[in-house]
Amino acid sequence: MPKLTSVLRGLGQKHQTYGLVVRLAKRWLSAHFLSDDIPAIAIELLVASLFLEPYPFEVPRGSICGFLRFLYLVSTFDWATSPFFVNLNNEYSGAEISQIKADFSVRTSFPPMTICIPLDKEVVSFWTREKPNQMMLNRLILIAKQSLRTLQETLIQPGSDLKKIFRSSVEPFDVVIHLKHDQEASPGQAIDSIGRRNYPAFLSNPSNLPIIDYQPKQLFMKDLRETFGHLALFYSDEYSSSVIGVLWRPNIFKPQGFKVSLVNGQCLLEESSKENQLVPNIEAIIEDMKILGNGIVEHIKVKTTSLLT
């Protein structure tokens, strides 16, 4: 890791645009609730490739140009059939690249997003072995395609709002937890922060001292995952967001036989041919989420569609 950090730092010193593109890419990723599923180092390596091997283009001279190239790369590269090489310092030999490609054709030990760098010769694609999984990679590609198309259309229309590609819909989520705006740690980092408090509260009153590492949303997310992680997945904008998206795990609505160890958050299925069948008690779970987030939760919106069909 220290050597990789040093190499990327050197790249940033050589190309000042590199850091700007990385920041845009990470902000875009977080705005679409993907920052927990796509390693930050993977984003830095993908952006680095735009500067190390820009062919058939030239090295990006501006941040928007680099960001466009990043979206194009993510959305068009064939992740299913090819490993992606970032040849830092040209340390990969032709024979090594050919061998990795040959091994990749078997595809038994390679992750969905395979990013190869010469510093990880012992463990290929070390930084993406755990995540993203195939589902999240597919979502990343889909959003990148949509964002690329939207950004291209926006750039040719003077006065258009470039921020639209950083706004994500919460429609896909089964549950949306809305947080109180006055509990946001960094409201100034929100995509749409106009008319909202974008400065620390202590500046308006000298008697108030700033709270170090005040991150109520992150702590709440941690509690939610520890308590309900076996039932749902939780997503949020890492930098600034007043919502937390919740997706129920698809297998939790399958009735299970009664066990004392499974009764937490469960209730008996009334309309069942078999006795003592357990299913999630959604109302109780939502109420527990409210209690867990007491003081920072504004309200919780649940989709009204049937959960057991």
Coordinates of all heavy atoms in Angstrom, one line a residue, residues 15 22 88 99 101 108 143 174 200 274 278 292 302:
H15 N 0.3 15.3 -13.0 CA -0.9 15.7 -13.7 C -1.9 16.3 -12.6 O -2.5 15.5 -11.9 CB -1.6 14.5 -14.4 CG -0.7 13.9 -15.4 ND1 -0.5 14.4 -16.7 CD2 -0.1 12.7 -15.4 CE1 0.3 13.6 -17.4 NE2 0.6 12.6 -16.6
V22 N -10.5 12.3 -9.8 CA -10.7 11.4 -8.7 C -11.8 11.9 -7.8 O -12.7 11.1 -7.4 CB -9.4 11.0 -7.9 CG1 -9.7 10.3 -6.6 CG2 -8.5 10.2 -8.8
L88 N 1.4 0.5 -13.9 CA 2.1 1.6 -13.2 C 3.6 1.4 -13.4 O 4.2 0.3 -13.2 CB 1.8 1.5 -11.7 CG 0.3 1.6 -11.3 CD1 0.1 1.3 -9.8 CD2 -0.2 3.0 -11.6
Q99 N 0.0 -14.0 -19.7 CA -0.3 -15.1 -18.7 C -1.6 -14.8 -17.9 O -2.4 -15.7 -17.7 CB 0.9 -15.3 -17.8 CG 0.7 -16.4 -16.8 CD 0.5 -17.7 -17.6 OE1 1.3 -18.1 -18.4 NE2 -0.5 -18.5 -17.2
K101 N -4.1 -12.9 -18.8 CA -5.2 -13.0 -19.7 C -5.6 -14.4 -20.0 O -6.8 -14.8 -20.1 CB -4.9 -12.3 -21.1 CG -4.9 -10.8 -21.0 CD -4.6 -10.2 -22.4 CE -4.7 -8.7 -22.3 NZ -4.4 -8.1 -23.7
T108 N -12.0 -18.7 -12.6 CA -12.4 -19.4 -11.4 C -12.1 -18.6 -10.2 O -12.7 -18.7 -9.1 CB -11.8 -20.8 -11.3 OG1 -10.4 -20.6 -11.4 CG2 -12.3 -21.7 -12.5
I143 N -25.5 3.0 -14.2 CA -25.5 4.4 -13.8 C -24.5 5.2 -14.6 O -24.7 6.3 -15.0 CB -25.3 4.5 -12.3 CG1 -26.5 3.8 -11.6 CG2 -25.2 5.9 -11.9 CD1 -26.3 3.8 -10.1
D174 N -36.7 0.0 -0.8 CA -38.0 -0.5 -0.2 C -38.4 0.4 1.0 O -39.6 0.6 1.2 CB -37.8 -1.9 0.3 CG -37.5 -2.9 -0.8 OD1 -38.2 -2.9 -1.8 OD2 -36.5 -3.7 -0.6
P200 N -20.5 25.5 10.0 CA -20.6 25.0 11.4 C -21.4 25.9 12.3 O -21.3 27.1 12.2 CB -19.1 24.8 11.8 CG -18.3 24.8 10.6 CD -19.1 25.7 9.6
K274 N -49.0 -24.5 7.4 CA -48.2 -25.1 8.4 C -48.2 -24.3 9.6 O -48.2 -23.0 9.5 CB -46.7 -25.3 7.9 CG -46.6 -26.3 6.7 CD -45.2 -26.4 6.3 CE -45.0 -27.3 5.1 NZ -43.6 -27.5 4.6
L278 N -42.5 -18.4 10.6 CA -42.1 -17.1 10.9 C -41.8 -16.3 9.7 O -41.2 -16.8 8.7 CB -40.9 -17.1 11.8 CG -41.0 -17.7 13.2 CD1 -39.6 -17.7 13.9 CD2 -41.9 -16.8 14.0
L292 N -34.1 3.4 17.3 CA -32.6 3.4 17.2 C -32.1 4.7 16.8 O -31.0 5.1 17.2 CB -32.2 2.3 16.3 CG -30.7 1.8 16.3 CD1 -30.4 1.2 17.6 CD2 -30.5 0.8 15.2
V302 N -42.2 3.8 3.8 CA -42.1 2.4 3.4 C -43.0 2.2 2.2 O -44.1 2.8 2.1 CB -42.6 1.5 4.6 CG1 -42.5 0.0 4.2 CG2 -41.9 1.8 5.9

